[in-house]
Amino acid sequence: MKKSFFLFLLLSFNLQAQTDSVRLQWFNDAKLGIFIHWGMYAVNGTSESWAFHNGRVPYDVYMSQMKGFTAAKFDPQQWTDLIKESGAKYAVITTQHHDGLALWDTKQLTPYPSKTDWSTFFPNQTYPTKKNALWNPKKPLSTVYQTPAAKDLITPLSNALRKSGIKFGTYYSLLDWSHPDYPKFLKETDRYKLEKDPLRWKSFLTFMHHQIAEINTQFSPDLYWFDGDWEHTEAEWDAAKIDSIIHTSNPKAILNGRLHSYGDYSTPEQNMPIIHPEKKSWELCLTSNESWGYQPTDTNYKTTNEVLQIFTECLNMGGNLLLDIGPKADGTIPEEQVKLLKEVGRWTTKHSEAIYGTTAGLPYGHYHGNSTLSKDRKTLYLFVNQIRPNGAIQNVTIDLMLKGLKNEITAVEVLGTNVDVPTKTVGKISWSWVPGTVFLKVPAESLDSEITVIKITLNAPLDLYQGRGGFH
């Protein structure tokens, strides 16, 4: 009986793993996505939600930015065209950040802070009157009702993306610092303790779960990007119910790892992992400057080469890059970000076969750089981060070294060109099974202006020697 039960469990586990693998296939093949942080914080160019939470900006001043959020020049097709040009296969937009302003037509009401709450958190400020209220509590806290944009901004973008073949993802903050039934408010203060007022927490969960249900019904996202999970446990969020709300009617949706055990993939933020993230599928989310949302004073933009170096690191480890942009309050995208995405797109177009649908590259020690493999493991792609030298380059070569390759190489070329790369094998002993070291001499004139890709065709699926050398 016990044996049958364990066999049943093993079979169930294997079937679930196969189902998850199919569901995640498009994500694993996509490699590049664009993150979009857009909200009221773009009006004054302040830190999204954290500005008031950390006490840098008074709450009422922060929320007054809603009055300037016009989205007057928002062109979803223009955004989509730029995203497509970048080479991204999916896009994720903030439907609602921690400040509680929804960018879609939510029907859930956010009550106004009570006078007690107001006097507790802002003892020196007068409770807003109807004339200068932060928002109208009789209508949802949404761009449709509370901003001059006066419309749902998510629907037209999701439609444009899908029409262009780009997968659509929604960022949603589980926490909501503006909702009076949410416990946390300012960094150092709580409205109440969960254990002391479980009914109030239940009220907030009802609100939050209903919003997720709305998003699921209205947009049926391909991907959910949850955030804000750190303030409560999986059980407190009732993650099981969130998962059920989504997958009952949208079974193919994938969830990021911030819903804890219900997440499908890991989401390291800003910093490139040194070892592989916990989950097999993963994505690095990265800002194009130092800020998620639009901040005009932040001019510390990453260069195209820096972004591509990080991107190829992700590819080498079998992961994705989710590169962030922060549109202005009128809906235009900063010129620096447009330029960056176009330059990334030039590179991804030229080297597409080394990017999309590939798997993680060579293990550490075989090549001093990043690489990827075709799914049949018969084609190896080496990324060379060496910019074409200035001046005379005739007869100049860039030497690369490849160790432990047991396969026969049938062809080597600079991807995106018609240039063949000569190879030379040294150290191969006729009576030893240890392979020699392969040197590749890449003509300098064939180098890309950013990162060059060398395509190596093998006679069979990749076979590597990983011994100690010599007779071993």
Side-chain angles (χ1 to χ4, degrees), residues 21 27 33 38 70 72 120 190 206 209 216 220 261 274 305 362 375 423 433 446 472:
S21 178
F27 178 80
W38 196 31
T70 66
T120 300
D190 295 337
T206 299
H209 290 161
N216 203 51
S220 191
S261 65
I274 303 301
N305 187 262
L362 295 169
K375 285 185 179 178
T423 65
W433 56 83
S446 68
H472 302 285

Side-chain angles (χ1 to χ4, degrees), residues 109-181:
L109 293 176
T110 300
Y112 206 64
S114 67
K115 286 187 178 181
T116 301
D117 272 353
W118 192 267
S119 61
T120 300
F121 300 119
F122 309 115
N124 300 319
Q125 297 180 35
T126 305
Y127 185 69
T129 62
K130 286 185 179 180
K131 189 176 181 181
N132 63 356
L134 303 185
W135 70 84
N136 181 355
K138 293 182 180 180
K139 295 182 178 180
L141 185 53
S142 160
T143 52
V144 178
Y145 307 102
Q146 310 289 351
T147 75
K151 58 186 174 184
D152 164 13
L153 301 169
I154 303 300
T155 297
L157 180 61
S158 65
N159 290 342
L161 288 168
R162 282 181 163 141
K163 191 176 288 186
S164 293
I166 298 170
K167 297 286 187 180
F168 176 66
T170 52
Y171 167 108
Y172 179 81
S173 172
L174 297 168
L175 62 82
D176 183 344
W177 290 324
S178 285
H179 198 290
D181 285 335

Side-chain angles (χ1 to χ4, degrees), residues 168-280:
F168 176 66
T170 52
Y171 167 108
Y172 179 81
S173 172
L174 297 168
L175 62 82
D176 183 344
W177 290 324
S178 285
H179 198 290
D181 285 335
Y182 186 76
K184 199 76 178 173
F185 182 40
L186 303 179
K187 183 178 181 180
E188 306 298 336
T189 55
D190 295 337
R191 292 188 178 99
Y192 65 94
K193 298 294 182 183
L194 231 65
E195 62 275 12
K196 293 185 177 180
D197 202 341
L199 290 179
R200 197 171 176 184
W201 176 243
K202 185 177 180 181
S203 171
F204 174 75
L205 285 186
T206 299
F207 167 86
M208 183 260 283
H209 290 161
H210 282 171
Q211 282 201 322
I212 292 173
E214 284 181 343
I215 291 171
N216 203 51
T217 300
Q218 293 181 37
F219 310 114
S220 191
D222 300 293
L223 180 153
Y224 280 86
W225 214 101
F226 290 112
D227 199 12
D229 57 296
W230 61 84
E231 288 194 350
H232 298 284
T233 66
E234 181 179 305
E236 288 169 344
W237 289 121
D238 199 349
K241 183 170 183 177
I242 294 173
D243 182 80
S244 176
I245 289 169
I246 294 168
H247 285 135
T248 297
S249 59
N250 187 6
K252 293 183 179 180
I254 63 176
L255 281 54
N256 74 336
R258 301 191 183 192
L259 203 61
H260 303 286
S261 65
Y262 290 90
D264 294 303
Y265 66 94
S266 298
T267 57
E269 183 172 324
Q270 294 285 45
N271 299 306
M272 184 69 199
I274 303 301
I275 61 174
H276 196 284
E278 180 183 2
K279 296 180 184 296
K280 182 179 179 181

Side-chain angles (χ1 to χ4, degrees), residues 254-466:
I254 63 176
L255 281 54
N256 74 336
R258 301 191 183 192
L259 203 61
H260 303 286
S261 65
Y262 290 90
D264 294 303
Y265 66 94
S266 298
T267 57
E269 183 172 324
Q270 294 285 45
N271 299 306
M272 184 69 199
I274 303 301
I275 61 174
H276 196 284
E278 180 183 2
K279 296 180 184 296
K280 182 179 179 181
S281 299
W282 69 278
E283 147 204 277
L284 173 70
C285 55
L286 181 78
T287 53
S288 51
N289 50 6
E290 299 296 326
S291 310
W292 294 107
Y294 173 65
Q295 292 192 34
T297 58
D298 181 1
T299 58
N300 191 23
Y301 280 92
K302 297 171 181 65
T303 66
T304 302
N305 187 262
E306 288 167 346
V307 169
L308 291 177
Q309 282 193 64
I310 294 170
F311 183 31
T312 54
E313 284 276 347
C314 294
L315 294 174
N316 182 67
M317 292 176 67
N320 294 2
L321 174 65
L322 185 64
L323 181 62
D324 180 71
I325 59 174
K328 300 177 182 179
D330 65 0
T332 57
I333 299 171
E335 292 179 6
E336 297 90 343
Q337 294 177 349
V338 171
K339 180 174 180 287
L340 177 61
L341 264 59
K342 285 178 176 289
E343 290 176 349
V344 167
R346 191 242 6 131
W347 188 86
T348 56
T349 298
K350 180 180 178 182
H351 304 108
S352 60
E353 74 169 86
I355 301 168
Y356 309 109
T358 59
T359 62
L362 295 169
Y364 177 77
H366 290 277
Y367 168 64
H368 300 304
N370 297 314
S371 60
T372 56
L373 274 167
S374 60
K375 285 185 179 178
D376 65 5
R377 298 178 65 79
K378 291 182 179 180
T379 309
L380 173 63
Y381 302 95
L382 306 181
F383 297 103
V384 185
N385 184 35
Q386 188 150 348
I387 297 173
R388 181 171 172 165
N390 293 321
I393 56 173
Q394 191 174 5
N395 299 323
V396 175
T397 62
I398 305 301
D399 294 337
L400 306 178
M401 184 172 71
L402 190 58
K403 297 182 292 182
L405 184 65
K406 295 167 72 174
N407 298 78
E408 176 188 338
I409 294 175
T410 60
V412 184
E413 63 183 274
V414 179
L415 192 61
T417 74
N418 59 359
V419 176
D420 293 327
V421 178
T423 65
K424 178 183 179 181
T425 301
V426 302
K428 173 60 182 162
I429 304 172
S430 60
W431 44 262
S432 172
W433 56 83
V434 180
T437 300
V438 179
F439 284 90
L440 300 88
K441 293 187 174 295
V442 183
E445 64 266 25
S446 68
L447 292 178
D448 186 79
S449 58
E450 296 295 346
I451 293 178
T452 303
V453 181
I454 307 302
K455 177 181 178 180
I456 302 176
T457 306
L458 307 173
N459 66 329
L462 180 71
D463 188 10
L464 294 174
Y465 166 77
Q466 294 183 295

